[in-house]
Amino acid sequence: MTTIKDVAKYAEVSVATVSRVLNKKGYVSKDAEVAVLKAIKDLNYKPNSVARSLYHKTSKMIGLLIPDISNPFFPELARAVEDVALTYGYTVVICNTDEDKRKEQQYVDALKQKYIDGLILSTNQLSIDDYKSLHVPLVALDRSISDSVPIVTANNFIGAQQATEYLIDNGSTFLAHLRGPVGVKTADQRYKGFKEVVEKKGIAHVVVESEFNIHHAKKTALDLFERYPSIDAIFASSDIMAAGVMKAAKQMGKEVPTDVQLIGFDGIPLGEMLTPSLSTVIQPIYDMGAISTRLLIKQIEKQPLETLHYELETELNIRETTRSEQYE
Amino acid sequence: MTTIKDVAKYAEVSVATVSRVLNKKGYVSKDAEVAVLKAIKDLNYKPNSVARSLYHKTSKMIGLLIPDISNPFFPELARAVEDVALTYGYTVVICNTDEDKRKEQQYVDALKQKYIDGLILSTNQLSIDDYKSLHVPLVALDRSISDSVPIVTANNFIGAQQATEYLIDNGSTFLAHLRGPVGVKTADQRYKGFKEVVEKKGIAHVVVESEFNIHHAKKTALDLFERYPSIDAIFASSDIMAAGVMKAAKQMGKEVPTDVQLIGFDGIPLGEMLTPSLSTVIQPIYDMGAISTRLLIKQIEKQPLETLHYELETELNIRETTRSEQYE
DNA sequence: CTGAAAGCGCTTACAG
DNA sequence: CTGAAAGCGCTTACAG
């Protein structure tokens, strides 16, 4: 590889001068600049980032800690992070933590040793102090870490309200909510949104808890249909759960949306692939990733943040698992 | 951050000695070793990887070049790469190239400057020389780059044969194949497998080309059903295409699998989420990623490779979009 | 067995 | 405006 020394020799100047034109810093005569630029071009010189890192104690790399990239919520998020990072000249290191404390610590240590410039956290098994020990900017994505860490989420509460209202406005009178695990913030918010609407409107309802996977959701829905055959609408806390509900409905001989209306949550590509395609509350996943990354880079570059909590709006996307009596 | 100097001072030895115990290299007296180990522990010292990188011209990082992580084929692959990398102490930098030459070049340059140790290529817009200019080991994943680069693929040809045979053995007499774009190696192989079986058995068939996305597949299938209403089985070149076929079938009032049997290809999680769940040819995606990574690390660590072409077996996974007359 | 020194490729005060 | 020198944190011949 050609180094700054080679360039200096070729341009007949010192390495300091080469460095100056490289960084557009300090005085350089026109002649010297031209010679250096020519040398850089002729030798196809690219400055070595590792050497730069060592001096500056930065790396132009950011870390993305997520539970598992193969969970369909995360690819689009990761994609957004990577896109924005690339725009600003950053590279992203991806870390699947499986919500495992030990793995997370291992990553945090490794990243620290590499002078990572910042961290996006979609997982939080460690304490805030562990993250802070990195002494780099942080952003929490769809998780709350601490009041001092900027956070980006969707408005789960309002999204759930919209879905619930839609089901009721379309004539359903006995709603069920498949909620996610208690204690998971997003699941709690969606539950609250559902609850508030059915209670305010005095609509019969039942809430059951499920894990965020298709098998458990199917089982839970099967049980639900068994116990309450007259349920005529289900609001599921995720699209994957909704896919499970569809399987259960089919098995019980219930037609969606004729017998039971169904709305999911997330807006992952899966929804569109299902038949009938899934009505759902879309979270702006890409935007959430993109905004998080911009927030992180702003901090890295010492720019002021306007606010510490970005709450993005969801959008109710009506596809084929709901009836559309409103428009008939 | 505490450095090797701090450790040396604390242990009352030179930095050279600390380095020796760190790397278990060269002679160190028992006394010195004990003192250093204690210092490391007391100070919670972690050697700085950037400084090491600069000296060794390696980084303990590998690059993963893929078209787009939000394409559902890649998350599991990326997950496997990351898992294996972590085991061997490597970190992975993820690069979405969108099959765009310029972006790929941008990444290759950035990775070179970071002393990346190796590259896994699931995309190949550049010429082999561009990749070789990195002077690091390479592995091609599901793409062929050059004869000199080890390659990992699934046996698309045999997988396609198995699917086709199954459809015929289950009583279908007029098969259609939704093939992927001509020129895409995997699509070509699947097509060849299909073709060989139908021709050998003298079965009526029709082949149409589609893109690897649901909308185009649906449109193509709709058109196909229109032109050939008696088609009673479809082999789709990907699971996503198969999801499109299911939508088309529904729209045309055809029941799957009663009227039309359907088999996809890939084995992505989507298949299981569909109702009825999709029969498909499973590629061992995780294994492909894991093996690629091991191959890469073997090369990085200068170990000999047994073979340059790993072709993994596919597995026919019969779920609900096929009939099972064989067992009746 | 151990330490002083040079070097990895860069950057930036400092002196001129 | 420019170059020599020190330093980022480590590793490894070299001399002792």
Side-chain angles (χ1 to χ4, degrees), chain B residues 132-146:
Chain B
K132 291 236 162 132
S133 78
L134 281 166
H135 302 295
V136 299
L138 306 171
V139 170
L141 216 182
D142 213 28
R143 298 277 179 126
S144 53
I145 309 287
S146 142

Side-chain angles (χ1 to χ4, degrees), chain A residues 57-72:
Chain A
K57 298 180 194 299
T58 65
S59 60
K60 283 279 173 179
M61 296 197 298
I62 62 179
L64 174 62
L65 263 64
I66 56 178
D68 181 4
I69 187 73
S70 50
N71 172 330

Side-chain angles (χ1 to χ4, degrees), chain A residues 47-50 59 68-69 75 79 82 92 94 96 98 103 107 113-115 215 247 272 274-275 277, chain B residues 47-50 59 68-69 75 79 82 92 94 96 98 103 107 113-115 215 247 272 274-275:
Chain A
N48 179 302
S49 343
V50 176
S59 60
D68 181 4
I69 187 73
R79 177 64 213 246
E82 217 262 301
V92 2
I94 194 159
N96 294 295
D98 290 324
K103 281 186 90 172
Y107 279 118
Q113 294 175 57
K114 289 189 193 299
Y115 285 144
H215 301 294
K247 284 185 180 294
E272 210 189 340
L274 298 173
T275 307
S277 57
Chain B
N48 179 304
S49 344
V50 176
S59 59
D68 181 5
I69 188 73
R79 178 65 213 246
E82 216 263 300
V92 2
I94 196 159
N96 294 295
D98 289 324
K103 281 186 92 173
Y107 279 119
Q113 295 175 56
K114 288 189 193 305
Y115 284 144
H215 300 294
K247 284 185 179 293
E272 210 188 341
L274 298 173
T275 307

Side-chain angles (χ1 to χ4, degrees), chain A residues 33-319:
Chain A
E33 188 184 344
V34 169
V36 169
L37 257 18
K38 177 164 165 37
I40 288 174
K41 202 168 173 202
D42 287 357
L43 303 175
N44 187 27
Y45 168 71
K46 302 262 197 292
N48 179 302
S49 343
V50 176
R52 280 188 163 167
S53 271
L54 185 59
Y55 184 88
H56 282 126
K57 298 180 194 299
T58 65
S59 60
K60 283 279 173 179
M61 296 197 298
I62 62 179
L64 174 62
L65 263 64
I66 56 178
D68 181 4
I69 187 73
S70 50
N71 172 330
F73 183 76
F74 293 107
E76 200 182 335
L77 207 66
R79 177 64 213 246
V81 171
E82 217 262 301
D83 282 354
V84 174
L86 184 65
T87 304
Y88 289 90
Y90 289 78
T91 265
V92 2
V93 173
I94 194 159
C95 309
N96 294 295
T97 69
D98 290 324
E99 314 262 10
D100 172 343
K101 200 166 174 158
R102 243 192 45 255
K103 281 186 90 172
E104 239 183 82
Q105 188 64 57
Q106 192 178 352
Y107 279 118
V108 167
D109 288 344
L111 295 177
K112 188 175 187 174
Q113 294 175 57
K114 289 189 193 299
Y115 285 144
I116 204 92
D117 292 344
L119 219 49
I120 294 179
L121 300 165
S122 256
T123 167
N124 55 341
Q125 297 304 301
L126 305 182
S127 76
I128 171 69
D129 290 337
D130 291 320
Y131 300 119
K132 291 234 162 134
S133 77
L134 281 166
H135 302 296
V136 297
L138 305 171
V139 170
L141 215 185
D142 213 28
R143 300 273 179 129
S144 53
I145 309 285
S146 143
D147 287 347
S148 58
V149 176
I151 178 170
V152 177
T153 58
N155 196 321
N156 293 287
F157 179 70
I158 292 182
Q161 287 188 314
Q162 291 171 334
T164 311
E165 274 164 10
Y166 189 91
L167 292 170
I168 296 169
D169 290 349
N170 267 305
S172 287
T173 55
F174 186 7
L175 308 208
H177 176 40
L178 241 70
R179 60 155 299 155
V182 172
V184 175
K185 193 88 168 266
T186 50
D188 290 343
Q189 290 293 320
R190 292 169 201 172
Y191 163 72
K192 269 180 59 184
F194 171 83
K195 195 79 180 166
E196 187 165 302
V197 171
V198 286
E199 293 192 342
K200 191 162 134 209
K201 301 211 174 192
I203 299 288
H205 62 277
V206 51
V207 175
V208 286
E209 188 176 340
S210 166
E211 292 166 25
F212 279 123
N213 68 63
I214 188 165
H215 301 294
H216 200 274
K218 178 182 173 186
K219 231 182 89 196
T220 308
L222 236 28
D223 181 56
L224 197 62
F225 285 135
E226 191 99 27
R227 285 160 54 212
Y228 302 104
S230 57
I231 282 172
D232 59 0
I234 294 188
F235 169 47
S237 196
S238 83
D239 288 348
I240 291 191
M241 281 181 178
V245 171
M246 282 172 74
K247 284 185 180 294
K250 174 91 170 190
Q251 187 168 322
M252 299 294 282
K254 287 183 185 290
E255 194 77 32
V256 176
T258 327
D259 302 328
V260 194
Q261 297 196 85
L262 175 63
I263 296 184
F265 206 108
D266 277 349
I268 60 176
L270 165 70
E272 210 189 340
M273 314 243 177
L274 298 173
T275 307
S277 57
L278 182 67
S279 295
T280 191
V281 180
I282 297 185
Q283 297 198 65
I285 302 183
Y286 189 93
D287 290 347
M288 289 165 68
I291 288 174
S292 300
T293 312
R294 275 192 218 101
L295 273 180
L296 187 70
I297 293 175
K298 262 197 179 174
Q299 293 182 78
I300 292 173
E301 299 181 346
K302 311 283 185 205
Q303 290 171 37
L305 262 38
E306 282 126 51
T307 157
L308 283 181
H309 190 175
Y310 282 77
E311 194 163 55
L312 306 191
E313 279 179 29
T314 57
E315 185 197 333
L316 184 59
N317 186 209
I318 294 306
R319 288 192 286 226

